[in-house]
């Protein structure tokens, strides 16, 4: 019998060693992201950039997006001193999710990396939408226009605050230039972000107090904490220019690699670029969707779309990229965005017909997408059906009780 228990103990130790290695790998990956000051999506660029897709499309679509799973939220953050900075995730109370576009049916923040000149932004919701539906409409709940500096339900933020070792720079208001710290919420001017400069957009709804069971969960002390944009059936539209970089050195991180993406809103409120993976829910799979992203300078005119979660993959760094691209046109204004449907579709498009009206009919939306399809066709990627994905976010100490019990049985 002792040999049996010893075998079980050895197996448990091996499993825990593997889990610990996974966590160490996540920490190393986040270290790299902190050092290069890239997005969580761009942290996987070294892997994704080896892919070269030769086909251009007018529309990129994911089908069957959303699964039943869970992630771990941050339970505590101690940044009282730079040397003792620590974070803990709550593995005892995983955040469960299911349904269409989950986990991105949680609140999300909007992120922009230069070189980009953002001219307009709109966030819309609908009661229900299935791809190709012609009846019904969308209501605009957030809007920004650089021409008249309109900013409805929009707060401009950036990682420009206090820098602490395990957390990186804190979230704070940015000035009208999009990169300098500000003392209060300020409307973004008609400016161009340069390579590796990033901007974050969240709603104007303030969070309550920080706390695991509170409305925004645990967040970093001293930051201006805001809710993200909610909903399963939601749409994000953008009008922007993505010019060739001509103002910074080619040695700059993410040189000439503009991007627009979404993150689970918990991430920027805790740490977008931590050196400790436990300071963010990202590595446990709370969700990221890259709408338009240049992955490398070799393909500097190819916008890719990628999902970073655990639906059909255990490689969250690389994620699941749609195997097609949209054309980046540096000399022109581009318009388009992403539509998340209640049928589990995520449709990314660029169309010069895009409008930012207070109400958008499904017939108009479908005409924009159809015109883009007619020009360059559509590439569809169907995701795997997954239930209760194990996402490797646990840590060694969670199983000490089991190990102790097995060790005790070995001596009986």
């Amino acid at each position: 019998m002792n040999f049996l228990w010893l075998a079980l103990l050895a197996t448990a130790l091996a499993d825990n060693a593997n889990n610990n290695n996974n966590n160490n790998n996540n920490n190393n990956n986040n270290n790299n992201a902190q050092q290069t000051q890239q997005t969580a999506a761009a942290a996987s660029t070294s892997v994704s950039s080896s892919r070269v897709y030769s086909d251009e499309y007018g529309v990129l679509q994911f089908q069957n997006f959303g699964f039943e799973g869970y992630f771990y939220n941050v339970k505590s953050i101690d940044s009282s001193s730079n040397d003792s900075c620590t974070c803990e995730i709550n593995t005892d109370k995983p955040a469960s999710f299911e349904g269409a576009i989950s986990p991105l049916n949680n609140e999300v923040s909007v992120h922009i990396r230069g070189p980009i000149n953002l001219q307009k932004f709109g966030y819309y919701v609908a009661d229900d939408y299935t791809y190709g539906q012609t009846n019904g409409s969308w209501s605009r709940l957030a809007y920004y226009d650089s021409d008249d500096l309109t900013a409805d339900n929009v707060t401009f933020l950036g990682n420009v605050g206090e820098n602490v070792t395990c957390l990186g720079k804190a979230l704070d208001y940015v000035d009208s230039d999009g990169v300098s710290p500000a003392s209060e919420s300020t409307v973004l001017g008609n400016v161009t972000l340069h390579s590796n400069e990033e901007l974050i957009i969240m709603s104007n709804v303030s969070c309550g107090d920080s706390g695991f069971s509170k409305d925004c969960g645990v967040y970093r002390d001293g930051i201006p904490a805001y809710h993200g944009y909610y909903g399963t059936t939601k749409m994000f539209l953008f009008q922007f220019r993505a010019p060739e970089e001509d103002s910074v050195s080619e040695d700059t991180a993410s040189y000439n690699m503009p991007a627009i993406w979404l993150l689970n809103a918990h991430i920027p409120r805790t740490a977008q670029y931590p050196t400790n993976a436990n300071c963010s829910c990202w590595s446990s799979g709370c969700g990221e969707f890259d709408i338009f992203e240049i992955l490398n300078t070799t393909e500097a005119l190819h916008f890719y779309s990628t999902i970073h979660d655990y639906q059909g993959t255990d490689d969250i760094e690389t994620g699941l990229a749609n195997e097609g691209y949209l054309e980046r046109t540096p000399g022109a204004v581009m318009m388009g965005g992403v539509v998340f449907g209640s049928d589990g579709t995520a449709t990314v498009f660029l169309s010069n017909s895009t409008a930012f009206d207070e109400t958008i009919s499904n017939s108009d939306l479908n005409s924009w997408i159809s015109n883009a399809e007619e020009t360059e066709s559509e590439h569809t990627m169907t995701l795997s059906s997954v239930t209760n994905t194990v996402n490797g976010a646990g840590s060694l100490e969670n199983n000490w009780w089991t190990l102790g019990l097995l060790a005790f049985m070995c001596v009986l």
Side-chain angles (χ1 to χ4, degrees):
M1 290 294 292
N2 284 349
F3 288 105
L4 174 60
W5 289 113
L6 284 170
L8 290 172
L9 176 60
T11 301
L13 285 169
D15 288 341
N16 277 283
N18 288 334
N19 285 338
N20 201 38
N21 286 336
N22 287 337
N23 288 328
N24 287 336
N25 288 337
N26 284 333
N27 286 337
N28 289 337
N29 288 330
N30 280 298
N31 270 319
N32 292 335
Q34 171 68 18
Q35 291 166 359
T36 59
Q37 287 293 289
Q38 296 177 350
T39 68
S44 66
T45 299
S46 60
V47 177
S48 301
S49 61
S50 62
R51 301 174 176 175
V52 178
Y53 303 127
S54 59
D55 294 328
E56 177 187 341
Y57 294 88
V59 176
L60 305 177
Q61 186 179 82
F62 295 91
Q63 294 184 351
N64 196 40
F65 179 22
F67 68 109
E68 181 180 350
Y70 58 89
F71 60 86
Y72 297 122
N73 273 316
V74 176
K75 180 180 180 180
S76 64
I77 300 173
D78 180 4
S79 58
S80 54
S81 75
N82 202 37
D83 295 333
S84 64
C85 176
T86 59
C87 299
E88 181 183 2
I89 55 174
N90 196 335
T91 56
D92 294 329
K93 294 183 178 180
S96 300
F97 57 79
E98 62 179 330
I101 80 164
S102 59
L104 268 298
N105 53 357
N106 286 276
E107 291 184 10
V108 297
S109 50
V110 180
H111 298 252
I112 297 171
R113 181 180 70 213
I116 277 184
N117 166 229
L118 179 65
Q119 299 176 351
K120 291 183 180 180
F121 160 73
Y123 155 64
Y124 295 78
V125 297
D127 292 332
D128 183 72
Y129 174 76
T130 59
Y131 182 65
Q133 179 179 329
T134 56
N135 62 310
S137 61
W138 297 77
S139 299
R140 193 180 72 195
L141 297 187
Y143 178 61
Y144 163 72
D145 188 335
S146 64
D147 284 341
D148 57 12
L149 300 183
T150 298
D152 296 330
N153 192 24
V154 168
T155 304
F156 294 103
L157 304 160
N159 296 307
V160 296
E162 180 186 12
N163 193 7
V164 177
T165 300
C166 74
L167 298 170
K169 290 187 176 181
L171 195 66
D172 208 344
Y173 297 117
V174 291
D175 211 338
S176 58
D177 62 3
V179 294
S180 302
S183 59
E184 60 184 2
S185 181
T186 304
V187 179
L188 179 72
N190 189 357
V191 297
T192 298
L193 300 178
H194 297 298
S195 294
N196 207 41
E197 293 180 343
E198 295 184 7
L199 178 72
I200 300 169
I201 303 175
M202 301 187 83
S203 77
N204 67 355
V205 180
S206 297
C207 292
D209 293 340
S210 173
F212 186 77
S213 60
K214 304 294 186 180
D215 59 331
C216 289
V218 171
Y219 56 82
R220 188 168 172 175
D221 288 343
I223 69 165
Y226 288 87
H227 281 271
Y229 297 112
Y230 65 88
T232 295
T233 309
K234 54 193 173 189
M235 173 170 64
F236 296 90
L237 299 180
F238 306 88
Q239 178 177 309
F240 63 100
R241 293 180 64 252
E244 295 281 3
E245 182 61 77
D246 60 2
S247 300
V248 300
S249 167
E250 293 185 10
D251 295 329
T252 302
S254 301
Y255 177 80
N256 198 29
M257 293 167 58
I260 299 176
W261 72 103
L262 308 174
L263 290 178
N264 184 301
H266 284 295
I267 296 171
R269 291 193 299 254
T270 55
Q272 188 176 343
Y273 298 115
T275 59
N276 179 346
N278 287 345
C279 297
S280 167
C281 63
W282 187 86
S283 62
S284 67
C286 59
E288 171 179 345
F289 189 96
D290 304 331
I291 306 171
F292 307 117
E293 182 186 22
I294 301 299
L295 293 175
N296 56 73
T297 54
T298 303
E299 295 186 90
L301 299 182
H302 298 170
F303 275 134
Y304 288 103
S305 294
T306 306
I307 297 171
H308 294 270
D309 62 19
Y310 290 100
Q311 185 173 358
T313 180
D314 59 359
D315 184 0
I316 195 170
E317 292 285 346
T318 303
L320 294 169
N322 192 299
E323 297 182 358
Y325 64 82
L326 304 180
E327 182 184 8
R328 169 192 176 192
T329 52
V333 173
M334 289 172 282
M335 293 182 285
V338 59
V339 184
F340 295 107
S342 50
D343 58 349
T345 55
T347 307
V348 178
F349 69 96
L350 288 172
S351 170
N352 290 333
S353 301
T354 303
F356 292 78
D357 299 333
E358 291 186 9
T359 301
I360 295 175
S361 68
N362 280 326
S363 59
D364 284 344
L365 173 62
N366 288 329
S367 70
W368 306 342
I369 296 174
S370 296
N371 289 339
E373 288 175 345
E374 290 175 2
T375 303
E376 295 291 348
S377 74
E378 172 188 300
H379 188 277
T380 299
M381 178 178 181
T382 301
L383 304 183
S384 303
S385 295
V386 177
T387 301
N388 292 328
T389 300
V390 177
N391 48 30
S395 56
L396 181 61
E397 61 266 25
N398 297 327
N399 293 308
W400 278 123
W401 187 90
T402 302
L403 295 176
L405 177 61
L406 289 173
F408 175 75
M409 295 300 295
C410 285
V411 299
L412 293 181

